[in-house]
Structure formats: C-alpha cells, structure tokens
Amino acid sequence: MDYPTLAATIDSLTHGETDQIALMATIACEVYHADARFDWVGFYRVTAPETLKIGPYQGGHGCLVIPFSRGVCGACARSRAPQLVADVNAFPDHIACSSSTLSELVLPVFDAKGALIAVFDIDSDQADAFTETDVKELSKILAHVFARS
C-alpha cells in the first residue's frame, strides 16, 4: 500500500472542503480503490446518542444502523480507539453485514473540536488483512482531513 501517495491524493482532492459528508465520500472512494484487500470501505456517522448510521461508503450493502453497544463499529465508537480484527468470527457480538467479511479495521473519526463524528470501517474478504501500519497511516489521513471540519 502506497500511503504517501494516497495521503497526497486525498489531501489534494479535499483541500479547502469543510463539508463532512463530501470529505467522507471522497475518502471512502479513494481508500476503496487503493488496495485490493479492501472489500468494503465506508463511514458510519454518529447521528444520535449511541447511534451510528451508514454512509458514505463504497462496496456492497452495509448495515443501516449500528448501536454503540454492538459489533466492531460499536466497540470503536464506545472506546474511541481503533479496532483491528484479524478474524471477525472470533469477535464477540460481530454484526455480519456481509457474509464475505473475514477481517475488519475500524477507526474513530473526530472533528476539529475532538468530538466523535463517525467511525471509518474497512472490511476485507481476506483473513488477517490489516496491519498496525494500516491503523497508523489511515488514522493520520483521517486526522488531517477532519481537523479542518
């Protein structure tokens, strides 16, 4: 994965934009097309207390609503910490939005004031597809882009 090029591309495409939905749509598209490991890429936005709703995303359908109390995305929202899951079938209370998902990476997304606005979810149809490098580099991209929103 060429993270420097991905970061530069996203920075160029989002420069000057502050609308969070536009930013999310652009990031989801660019990340989805950046690596064959990524089967589904998208955001679940905080839309109400303890509630995540889908969108924007790239890939097949996803779950429409995820409570903070359920699944990998909910665990990320509750803890406000990355969730790197090598085997989703071993994760307690995993929500199977797609039966092809074998591993998952979910990152918290904060606005410029430090409020949790979403989680960034990446699913893979490959087992143990994600690394700590993915966590670090994608977290940097998200922090850079959403620091402006």
Side-chain angles (χ1 to χ4, degrees), residues 71-110:
V72 182
C73 289
C76 180
R78 279 193 317 277
S79 68
R80 299 175 188 267
Q83 302 293 306
L84 179 61
V85 181
D87 177 3
V88 296
N89 296 310
F91 189 90
D93 197 36
H94 173 255
I95 301 169
C97 297
S98 171
S99 61
S100 66
T101 299
L102 297 178
S103 59
E104 188 168 2
L105 172 61
V106 184
L107 303 169
V109 181
F110 304 99

